[in-house]
Amino acid sequence: MKKIVLFPILNSKIHLYNFDNIRKNNLEIIGIVGKQTFEQLTQKQKYFFDEFVFLDDYPMEPGSTYLIPDIPTFKNTISKLVEEKKNTYGAENIILYHDIETEIEMFDKIIDETGIRGLDSKHGEVFRNKHLMKEVLDSKCIRVPFFGKVDPEILKGDIDNAYVLCRDKFGSCFIIKPVFGVGGEGAFKISNQDEFNTFFEYYQKHSQIEFDIEEFIDGDLYHCDFLVSNGNVKLKYCMKNTCTPLDNIRNRKNRGDILLDIHSKEYKDTLEFAEKALYALNPVNGATHMELFKSKTGEYVFLECANRPAGFFTSNVVERKFGINLYNSHFYLMTDQELDEIVVRENINAGFIAVPIKKKGILKAIDIPKLESIKEVQNLKKIGENLKETTSLNSVLTVLFICNEDKNVFDRDLEYLLDVDISVVEAEA
C-alpha cells in the first residue's frame, strides 16, 4: 500500500534538502505551503511533491525574510487533509512529517486524535518541553543544570527581591528561558539586577509564557547530533561552538560551529556523554540535535535536545564529511526508507560561522571576504533592510559555510572570520 506523507514546507528549511537525489519510494508527498513561499521554490523542489495545498503566509516580523502561515489555518488544513486521506489509505499509512520544533507542538495532538504516524505527544513532549527533558535525565543520573520553574508569584511583588531570591537559589549567574521555545527567543543570561530587570520587561509582555530557570554553566558549548533508526544510532558527530548563541546574539560575537576531529579524545568523550543522554530520552526515528556544556572543571552538563536536524550549514558539514544529506536522511528515517551509504572523509575540516547584526541601521552591502575556505554563503537579511537587534536567531545577518582539506588554511581562515564585520550599514534617518 502506498504511504501518504503530509510535508509542511517552511522556507527557512526547504533549501537544506538535496533534491537532486532524494528518494521517495512508494510515497505520495503532499506539500502544505504558503503562497509566497511556493513562489520561492525552485523547479527541482516543486517536482519532488505530488500535490500542493496552499495557504496564506506572511513575514514572521516586519521586514523578515522568514515567511510563516497563519497557525490556526495551518492546523485546520492539516486536520482536514488527514480526515480526507484516512478514509482511503488508513491511518497507519499516513505520515505527518516534521523538521522543526514548532511543528511538533502543533502536530502531536492531531497524531494522537487520528492515529496517523508521526511524533505523538507521548514521545514529542519530552523533546520540546525543556523542563520535562531535564526532569527525565535528572531521574536517570544524567548531569543537568540545577533548575526550576520561574514562579509568577514572585514577579508580582518587589522586583529587586525577586532577583535576590533567584540569585540565592541558582547562583550569582543564571539563565531564564521559555519552557517551550526555539531560536534563543526569550532567553536571558542574568548576573545582576539590571539584567533581571531586562528579563522582567520582556516577561511583562509575554506573561502567558512558562519560563524555566537554571544555573549558568561556564564552559565550552558543543552540539552532538544523531541519526536514529529503530533505537539504533546510525550516525553521530560532534561540533564545538567558539561562543554561546547568547554571546552570538546579545554581545554580537561571530560564532563558529566547528566539527571536531573524529579521532580526538575530546570528540569521543563528548559523544560518550551525549549518547547516554540520548538513550535516556528514548529517541525516535529521525535526526536528533543535542546541546551540552563541558564546564571549566571538565564536567559534561546536558543543555537541551530536539527531535529534528540541526540548522544553518550543519547539513553541508555532514555532507562533506560523511557523504549524506542530513535533511534527506531525517526524511528517510521518518518514512521507513534506508539511509544512503555513509562514507567518512578523513581529511575534511568543516564548520560554519554565524555573523550577527553588529550595528543598527539600513543595510547597504554585505562584504564577504575572499577566503579559500568559504564555500557557501547564506544572507539572512536583504540589502536595504532596516537592521534591528532582537533577542533571537533573527539577529543573524549571514552564515558562512567553511571547509578545507588543508588544516592550516582552515584554521587561519576560521581565526580571521571570528573577528570580521562583513556588513556596511548606514544609520537610520
Side-chain angles (χ1 to χ4, degrees), residues 26 100 113 150 160 241 394:
N26 205 31
I100 192 170
E113 292 168 0
V150 174
D160 289 3
N241 290 19
N394 291 328

Side-chain angles (χ1 to χ4, degrees), residues 70-247:
D70 175 70
I71 298 304
T73 305
F74 195 42
K75 292 174 72 173
N76 290 338
T77 300
I78 291 172
S79 296
K80 289 177 182 176
L81 265 175
V82 167
E83 290 304 320
E84 175 190 325
K85 297 296 181 182
K86 193 168 69 167
N87 293 332
T88 304
Y89 294 93
E92 70 279 4
N93 290 309
I94 302 174
I95 299 168
L96 184 48
Y97 181 71
H98 77 271
D99 58 14
I100 192 170
E101 287 103 321
T102 49
E103 292 174 349
I104 297 173
E105 185 176 358
M106 287 190 287
F107 297 167
D108 58 10
K109 289 181 181 177
I110 296 173
I111 292 166
D112 289 348
E113 292 168 0
T114 61
I116 64 171
R117 294 176 53 193
L119 193 63
D120 59 21
S121 60
K122 177 183 176 183
H123 295 95
E125 179 75 1
V126 75
F127 282 102
R128 65 183 184 87
N129 183 328
K130 293 177 172 60
H131 189 87
L132 175 61
M133 193 182 295
K134 286 176 286 196
E135 283 186 330
V136 169
L137 292 176
D138 190 43
S139 71
K140 297 184 179 181
C141 299
I142 302 292
R143 173 70 161 99
V144 298
F146 179 57
F147 69 102
K149 287 186 179 178
V150 174
D151 183 357
E153 291 302 314
I154 70 168
L155 298 175
K156 294 178 180 177
D158 181 76
I159 295 306
D160 289 3
N161 184 58
Y163 165 65
V164 171
L165 289 172
C166 293
R167 183 196 64 194
D168 289 350
K169 186 171 183 179
F170 293 95
S172 59
C173 186
F174 52 90
I175 302 291
I176 294 180
K177 60 186 178 183
V179 171
F180 303 95
V182 296
E185 178 66 41
F188 295 85
K189 178 184 175 184
I190 297 170
S191 58
N192 56 52
Q193 183 70 56
D194 287 343
E195 290 172 343
F196 191 83
N197 293 346
T198 301
F199 156 70
F200 182 67
E201 290 173 9
Y202 182 88
Y203 175 80
Q204 287 179 305
K205 299 174 184 176
H206 303 86
S207 58
Q208 79 283 3
I209 295 177
E210 191 177 3
F211 287 90
D212 231 23
I213 181 169
E214 63 187 33
E215 67 171 311
F216 171 70
I217 304 296
D218 187 16
D220 294 323
L221 178 65
Y222 301 84
H223 80 248
C224 299
D225 300 335
F226 303 88
L227 290 175
V228 178
S229 175
N230 299 319
N232 298 310
V233 172
K234 298 297 186 181
L235 175 69
K236 54 186 176 182
Y237 60 90
C238 183
M239 299 178 72
K240 186 174 183 178
N241 290 19
T242 59
C243 71
T244 68
L246 282 175
D247 278 335

Side-chain angles (χ1 to χ4, degrees), residues 7 13-25 27 29 44-45 48-49 97-99 227-228 235 285-287 308-310 314-316 318-319 323-341:
F7 192 126
K13 295 291 182 182
I14 195 69
H15 68 280
L16 295 171
Y17 293 82
N18 182 349
F19 286 98
D20 285 332
N21 58 10
I22 192 168
R23 290 179 273 108
K24 56 173 192 177
N25 299 338
L27 299 173
I29 316 294
K44 281 183 182 177
Q45 290 167 348
F48 172 71
F49 296 91
Y97 181 71
H98 77 271
D99 58 14
L227 290 175
V228 178
L235 175 69
N285 285 359
R308 61 161 176 85
T314 304
S315 187
N316 299 60
V318 171
E319 196 147 4
I324 62 172
N325 180 277
L326 186 60
Y327 277 74
N328 289 21
S329 299
H330 181 64
F331 174 78
Y332 295 154
L333 291 170
M334 282 198 67
T335 56
D336 304 326
Q337 300 188 71
E338 292 294 321
L339 286 176
D340 292 328
E341 183 182 1

Side-chain angles (χ1 to χ4, degrees), residues 20-74:
D20 285 332
N21 58 10
I22 192 168
R23 290 179 273 108
K24 56 173 192 177
N25 299 338
N26 205 31
L27 299 173
E28 181 179 325
I29 316 294
I30 301 176
I32 303 158
V33 62
K35 295 170 186 173
Q36 294 183 78
T37 300
F38 180 79
E39 294 303 318
Q40 298 176 5
L41 299 182
T42 66
Q43 285 304 118
K44 281 183 182 177
Q45 290 167 348
K46 291 175 181 178
Y47 184 74
F48 172 71
F49 296 91
D50 297 287
E51 180 184 339
F52 288 100
V53 174
F54 295 100
L55 303 168
D56 291 327
D57 56 357
Y58 53 87
M60 182 182 294
E61 56 187 38
S64 173
T65 58
Y66 289 112
L67 298 167
I68 59 173
D70 175 70
I71 298 304
T73 305
F74 195 42

